[in-house]
Amino acid sequence: MLHLLDVRCKFLMMCLVSMSMLSAQVFACFFYFLVLLFFFKKTGLNIFATLNSIKYFILFLFFIFAARALALKGDSLFSFYGLSVTKQGLNDGFLVAFRFFLVMLTGLLFSSTTKPSSVKSAVQWFLKPVPFVPEKRVAVMISLSLSFMPVILKQAKEVSEAQKARCGDLQKNPIKRIIRLVLPLLKKTFLSADYLVLAMESRCYSDDRTDPEFTPSGKEFFFFAGSVVLSLSLVCL
Amino acid sequence: MTKNIIDINAICHTFADGYIGLKNISVSISKGEFIILAGKNGSGKTTFLRHLNGLLLPDSGVIFVKGLDVSKHLVQTRKTVGMVFQDADTQIVGDTVFDEVAFGLENLKVKRAEINKKVTLILEDLNLFHLKDRSPSTLSGGEKRKLAIAGILVMDPEVIVFDEPFSNLDYPGTIQVLSTIIDLNRSGHTIIIATHDVETVICEATRIIMMEDGQIKKDGTPDCIVKHLESFGVRQPCSSKFGMGLQPWLS
Ligand SMILES: Nc1ncnc2c1ncn2[C@@H]1O[C@H](COP(=O)(O)OP(=O)(O)OP(=O)(O)O)[C@@H](O)[C@H]1O
Ligand SMILES: [Mg+2]
């Protein structure tokens, strides 16, 4: 259902709802959490697998929560080493962490129902009315980095293995080790970038390209209206 | 002049560091030929091929593709002469198989509906259609090479230039790519293959050009050239070594 929706619409919906999250209260947050759960269930995504993939982020949220809880002044609940945990702090920390968490889940829902290449098309479409931004070049850049990332990672692995094969891991100084890894990697990356330029040129690369295609599913209006109502109610609740 | 699809007249190329890559090369290539460009490492094969596509321009001399001077008609040349590079990994531009094939057509500002039609046709032809939403980096070596071929085939070139098309391929991968190349030649494309492993393709070839030190040393039919291969550092095919003539590599 979400998979088939036009990316541009999804993109706008995501922005809208995330923005309204910033001023949502605890009750609204819970409500939105339920809505999100419903969509996760609908799209067949496993919420536990998703949570697992952002576990470091959750740790980070916990730090935010702790920092808030300790820093805010108010009625002290208990204290140790001169730091006191306040009631207001707990409330506020919980709310902030919850909001971040929900925004994160929204983003995950978006990215797992959208192909990277259509995100690129959407970015290109949104940048079109912005003056002085060559949107087509940006789009090519995005798709290049998407397709180049695996190549670079593979090369990094090769370089580090080649060094291990010659006992490079006997070197204990981490800085020296990083330098020895990064220099050949950079060189390789530049060389393959050179090569890529040739390959693109041989296929007549030009900035003046065919525009990307969007395939609306026809339900965009319904979903968009729904998300407007949702964000309004999140702000008001 | 009109019969030859490529005419090369006394080109020389010197690299920025003063190394002389090509020395006074003149060749004519007519439509439908299947040419092997052989020579050892560093003999200038890649340098030569890049001139055919306008990626490198000669310091002196001229190249005509379909009667047009390459240095003045770059886009036209690149539409006529498609180039498959040595390293399949780094020539991939798109983030899905479909986008990768569509890239060339998008550059030429072809209408979206037509792009979709052509790309689908080519992917089906090369048996890649079931992979169309995959990321190219997850394909096997043979599939990648075929994808690279698909990416230039959509642009409907008349000449296709391959730089070491069989490097890093296993036996099935080589068969896949080789039979694709043979089909292309049968359907009327002019094929030029640079390689130092002649055995795989020699039986299909109509002509072998031997290069050494940036010069053309021999140019003729496979039967004539075969005996001289080893004096230029290229291995002679087993079958001809043992006096059995040239045997096709695909059974
Ligand atoms: N950009 C460059 N600058 C200087 N010298 C170069 C450059 N590119 C290639 N050369 C030199 O030109 C010579 C021919 O290179 P080329 O790549 O054409 O050889 P090749 O026949 O394709 O070899 P291989 O079989 O290894 O692919 C080599 O000696 C190489 O060192
Ligand atoms: Mg080469």
Side-chain angles (χ1 to χ4, degrees):
Chain A
M1 176 172 60
L2 282 180
H3 289 270
L4 297 177
L5 224 52
D6 191 322
V7 250
R8 293 168 295 179
C9 173
K10 264 193 279 187
F11 205 83
L12 276 183
M13 279 163 61
M14 182 180 70
C15 294
L16 202 67
V17 175
S18 304
M19 235 120 80
S20 63
M21 277 316 297
L22 293 181
S23 56
Q25 294 307 308
V26 179
F27 180 67
C29 284
F30 270 113
F31 175 65
Y32 181 57
F33 186 53
L34 288 181
V35 174
L36 266 182
L37 277 185
F38 169 75
F39 275 111
F40 266 95
K41 188 124 191 79
K42 265 280 192 204
T43 46
L45 287 169
N46 186 343
I47 186 114
F48 292 108
T50 318
L51 286 183
N52 194 29
S53 70
I54 57 166
K55 53 179 182 262
Y56 294 109
F57 182 75
I58 293 177
L59 194 71
F60 172 67
L61 286 185
F62 184 75
F63 279 123
I64 294 184
F65 173 66
R68 280 279 173 159
L70 291 175
L72 241 67
K73 291 198 168 48
D75 320 331
S76 170
L77 289 180
F78 53 88
S79 63
F80 49 90
Y81 299 116
L83 287 169
S84 62
V85 176
T86 62
K87 197 169 164 222
Q88 284 86 344
L90 275 185
N91 275 340
D92 193 66
F94 177 72
L95 186 60
V96 169
F98 199 21
R99 280 177 187 161
F100 266 122
F101 176 67
L102 289 178
V103 169
M104 188 73 190
L105 276 189
T106 315
L108 274 175
L109 190 63
F110 173 77
S111 64
S112 53
T113 56
T114 318
K115 277 191 298 182
S117 56
S118 45
V119 178
K120 175 198 81 186
S121 320
V123 170
Q124 180 177 344
W125 193 81
F126 282 115
L127 284 180
K128 216 171 195 173
V130 183
F132 307 117
V133 178
E135 75 278 353
K136 290 184 175 170
R137 223 179 280 178
V138 172
V140 171
M141 243 132 69
I142 294 178
S143 81
L144 281 185
S145 40
L146 279 177
S147 61
F148 231 53
M149 231 27 225
V151 177
I152 293 176
L153 288 180
K154 201 178 109 200
Q155 284 177 345
K157 207 169 141 222
E158 266 167 25
V159 171
S160 95
E161 271 165 10
Q163 292 188 352
K164 262 188 210 148
R166 286 180 287 161
C167 301
D169 48 355
L170 291 183
Q171 173 66 262
K172 289 290 179 246
N173 184 341
I175 299 192
K176 274 192 186 157
R177 276 174 76 163
I178 287 180
I179 290 178
R180 288 221 305 231
L181 180 66
V182 164
L183 282 185
L185 185 61
L186 268 184
K187 196 173 141 213
K188 269 191 157 184
T189 309
F190 281 128
L191 278 181
S192 31
D194 261 0
Y195 205 73
L196 187 74
V197 169
L198 281 182
M200 286 169 66
E201 218 175 292
S202 81
R203 283 158 78 185
C204 307
Y205 174 71
S206 75
D207 269 351
D208 195 15
R209 311 160 51 74
T210 313
D211 288 329
E213 164 190 56
F214 298 99
T215 44
S217 69
K219 294 191 195 125
E220 276 74 21
F221 181 73
F222 173 70
F223 270 94
F224 191 66
S227 66
V228 171
V229 173
L230 179 67
S231 0
L232 280 181
S233 50
L234 285 182
V235 177
C236 300
L237 268 174
Chain B
M1 181 98 183
T2 44
K3 187 175 125 276
N4 293 335
I5 193 155
I6 297 179
D7 260 304
I8 297 172
N9 208 335
I11 57 165
C12 298
H13 185 92
T14 309
F15 286 109
D17 61 358
Y19 185 88
I20 300 177
L22 297 179
K23 294 173 202 156
N24 199 21
I25 288 190
S26 301
V27 199
S28 296
I29 296 169
S30 46
K31 209 169 158 47
E33 278 192 290
F34 192 124
I35 299 179
I36 300 178
L37 188 64
K40 58 185 170 203
N41 287 139
S43 54
K45 302 183 296 285
T46 304
T47 314
F48 176 65
L49 292 185
R50 291 196 174 159
H51 278 82
L52 298 181
N53 191 270
L55 291 175
L56 291 175
L57 294 175
D59 297 328
S60 64
V62 263
I63 307 176
F64 293 102
V65 171
K66 285 176 92 182
L68 298 175
D69 185 345
V70 166
S71 54
K72 291 184 190 115
H73 300 87
L74 279 179
V75 174
Q76 204 57 39
T77 304
R78 287 173 185 162
K79 275 204 279 189
T80 312
V81 182
M83 176 137 186
V84 179
F85 287 79
Q86 196 162 354
D87 184 351
D89 259 325
T90 39
Q91 66 177 293
I92 286 172
V93 184
D95 41 4
T96 66
V97 168
F98 194 92
D99 285 356
E100 163 64 16
V101 179
F103 178 76
L105 294 176
E106 286 175 359
N107 289 333
L108 299 176
K109 284 217 94 171
V110 177
K111 290 255 160 42
R112 181 57 65 176
E114 200 176 329
I115 292 184
N116 289 346
K117 208 172 76 195
K118 276 191 175 164
V119 173
T120 309
L121 213 66
I122 295 285
L123 286 178
E124 275 169 355
D125 263 4
L126 293 184
N127 252 328
L128 290 172
F129 192 71
H130 57 290
L131 301 171
K132 78 179 168 57
D133 290 322
R134 283 264 292 275
S135 157
S137 56
T138 63
L139 300 182
S140 76
E143 286 165 344
K144 266 185 204 160
R145 198 69 50 112
K146 268 175 39 177
L147 175 60
I149 298 177
I152 60 151
L153 269 189
V154 273
M155 301 173 76
D156 208 12
E158 289 169 53
V159 183
I160 306 176
V161 173
F162 295 89
D163 197 349
E164 308 278 358
F166 306 115
S167 60
N168 284 331
L169 291 187
D170 61 358
Y171 184 53
T174 312
I175 291 179
Q176 271 185 352
V177 173
L178 179 60
S179 50
T180 312
I181 295 178
I182 294 174
D183 286 344
L184 286 174
N185 186 235
R186 298 227 169 103
S187 62
H189 292 87
T190 309
I191 306 282
I192 305 173
I193 296 185
T195 181
H196 44 77
D197 173 22
V198 175
E199 181 154 11
T200 359
V201 275
I202 194 159
C203 216
E204 327 298 331
T206 56
R207 182 172 168 192
I208 300 185
I209 296 176
M210 297 292 316
M211 285 192 73
E212 191 171 48
D213 293 334
Q215 286 167 307
I216 292 187
K217 283 293 167 73
K218 282 245 169 348
D219 181 351
T221 60
D223 294 318
C224 303
I225 303 280
V226 147
K227 297 283 174 301
H228 306 290
L229 282 175
E230 299 209 332
S231 58
F232 293 105
V234 176
R235 187 169 161 273
Q236 190 179 348
C238 283
S239 55
S240 90
K241 218 173 194 170
F242 297 129
M244 295 186 293
L246 295 176
Q247 302 284 326
W249 198 79
L250 281 181
S251 42

